[in-house]
Amino acid sequence: MTAWLELKDTLALAEKRKQNPLEIEKEHLARNVIPLHYQRNYTAISLSDQIKLLDSRVGVCGCGGLGMNVVNYLARLGVGHITVWDPDIFSENNLNRQLFSCYDNLGKSKVEVCRNFIQKINPAVCLTAIPAKWEESDASVIGRQQVMVDALDNIPSRLALASTCEKFNIPLVHAAVGGWYGQLTVVMPGDQILQEIYQNAEQQQGIEKEQGTLPFTAAVLACLEAAETVKLLLDMESDLRSNLCLVDLLNMSLDMLPKCNLDVNQM
Amino acid sequence: MVVKVKLFATFRRGRFREQDMELPDNCTVGWVLDHLNIPRRQLGIIYLNGLAATEDAVLHQGDTLSIFPMVGGG
């Protein structure tokens, strides 16, 4: 028979012992007692994998239409250590798609608002909010992550992140959106897929400049990024490690294409 | 010669998703892009038979050409 641990008891124990709620949850999971807020993760996520997730470290670059959804899903699932970078504050044109944006939050730091929401959603998660561009912060923070998530909004920054992940030997989950369309892939160290995708990029933006960014497109691609992140953390197989996925919500098509093997330096 | 041409995302609008195109022999990827009026500034990746290709790649009977716009938003 499975035993459950309610969040109020986790928090009370953490307070009493002066411990992080995360440690309380791990201790109980090790004794087959499941924190109730993870009940519906089980058995798709086994108890040992749930502990693994609580011990995991993920970095999310960009806290906008993609990033906030990615952080939301990872935190709800129980990824224990999340670092999120974004220098921006909420503006009115974010309200169509950015999960934690609301009229009252306009002008506030996106990552700070995100941290406050996540604290209420899952108090066991340790979320580090960095209100700066990832390029401008301590690179060693990236080096400590197990998986990085590309939720950025411009091509030069995406390419720089791919290079940094390559340097630190960290897998990168990439997604980008524009209008009804999105693309997704998992970049393993050594892959040059982003350099290939953006080989013709002379500008900062793609079709999103004209098409805008629709809320459901960002949400769908963010969900897929979260799922791929979890698969990487739990050493699960994923077809995206050798494919590029193109999502077209207008025509309801999802195409998987093999990654190219072209030497981009020769182009 | 006949080449299967697949278009993605915004490139489908006013064109097609997939079509077997009758093309002049030895024509290039760039020729197809011009023929379909695909704006170069929107061009992302080009796949020829599943591998990345450049505009000067020469097409052959039975090839499959896939053309994607650049997507970068978040």
Side-chain angles (χ1 to χ4, degrees), chain A residues 89-97 101-103 105-107:
Chain A
I89 56 172
F90 281 115
S91 56
E92 203 162 326
N93 65 7
N94 298 149
L95 290 172
N96 81 322
R97 69 194 183 284
S101 65
C102 64
Y103 183 66
N105 286 336
L106 297 183

Side-chain angles (χ1 to χ4, degrees), chain A residues 152-153 155 158 176-178 181 198 200-201 203 206-208 210-211 246 248 253 255 257-258 260-261 267, chain B residues 8-10 12-13 17 41-47 50-54 66 68-74:
Chain A
L152 293 159
D153 64 356
I155 294 165
R158 291 177 183 281
V177 291
Y181 316 102
Y198 294 124
N200 296 314
Q203 65 273 23
I207 57 170
E208 69 280 2
E210 289 160 16
Q211 293 281 310
L246 293 147
D248 178 342
S253 68
D255 292 274
L257 296 147
C260 346
N261 56 4
M267 300 193 71
Chain B
F8 290 83
T10 45
R12 290 174 172 172
R13 289 190 181 175
R17 285 175 71 162
R41 65 190 163 77
Q42 291 179 4
L43 187 63
I45 197 164
I46 302 162
Y47 275 73
L51 297 177
T54 53
S66 303
F68 308 90
M70 196 168 298
V71 182

Side-chain angles (χ1 to χ4, degrees), chain A residues 37-176:
Chain A
H37 64 126
Y38 301 135
Q39 183 190 50
R40 299 303 168 97
N41 291 350
Y42 185 71
T43 63
I45 305 291
S46 69
L47 293 192
S48 59
D49 278 347
Q50 186 69 64
I51 294 173
K52 205 183 270 187
L53 288 180
L54 289 174
D55 275 330
S56 295
R57 294 182 179 278
V58 174
V60 180
C61 290
C63 192
L66 289 170
M68 273 179 215
N69 278 300
V70 171
V71 172
N72 173 55
Y73 288 117
L74 295 181
R76 286 181 188 275
L77 195 67
V79 171
H81 305 271
I82 302 170
T83 301
V84 58
W85 290 261
D86 199 313
D88 289 347
I89 56 172
F90 281 115
S91 56
E92 203 162 326
N93 65 7
N94 298 149
L95 290 172
N96 81 322
R97 69 194 183 284
Q98 299 192 7
L99 189 62
F100 304 131
S101 65
C102 64
Y103 183 66
D104 287 346
N105 286 336
L106 297 183
K108 292 183 182 169
S109 158
K110 292 182 180 182
V111 291
E112 296 294 349
V113 167
C114 182
R115 181 174 57 185
N116 291 338
F117 266 95
I118 294 303
Q119 180 65 29
K120 289 172 189 165
I121 290 166
N122 187 350
V125 166
C126 304
L127 191 138
T128 305
I130 303 180
K133 289 183 177 177
W134 69 269
E135 296 98 321
E136 292 165 359
S137 67
D138 182 0
S140 67
V141 178
I142 291 181
R144 288 196 291 273
Q145 309 303 319
Q146 289 167 263
V147 177
M148 289 296 295
V149 179
D150 172 4
L152 293 159
D153 64 356
N154 71 88
I155 294 165
S157 193
R158 291 177 183 281
L159 288 169
L161 179 60
S163 297
T164 300
C165 289
E166 167 89 34
K167 183 177 142 195
F168 286 109
N169 206 33
I170 301 170
L172 173 67
V173 180
H174 160 85

Side-chain angles (χ1 to χ4, degrees), chain A residues 202-254:
Chain A
E202 289 169 5
Q203 65 273 23
Q204 293 232 333
Q205 294 176 294
I207 57 170
E208 69 280 2
K209 191 175 178 184
E210 289 160 16
Q211 293 281 310
T213 312
L214 296 177
F216 37 74
T217 314
V220 166
L221 271 294
C223 285
L224 297 173
E225 280 196 295
E228 291 304 314
T229 301
V230 169
K231 286 190 237 175
L232 283 164
L233 293 172
L234 300 180
D235 299 317
M236 293 172 169
E237 297 274 319
S238 169
D239 279 355
L240 278 174
R241 294 186 203 181
S242 53
N243 289 299
L244 172 66
C245 176
L246 293 147
V247 179
D248 178 342
L249 295 179
L250 192 60
N251 293 292
M252 208 47 248
S253 68
L254 193 149

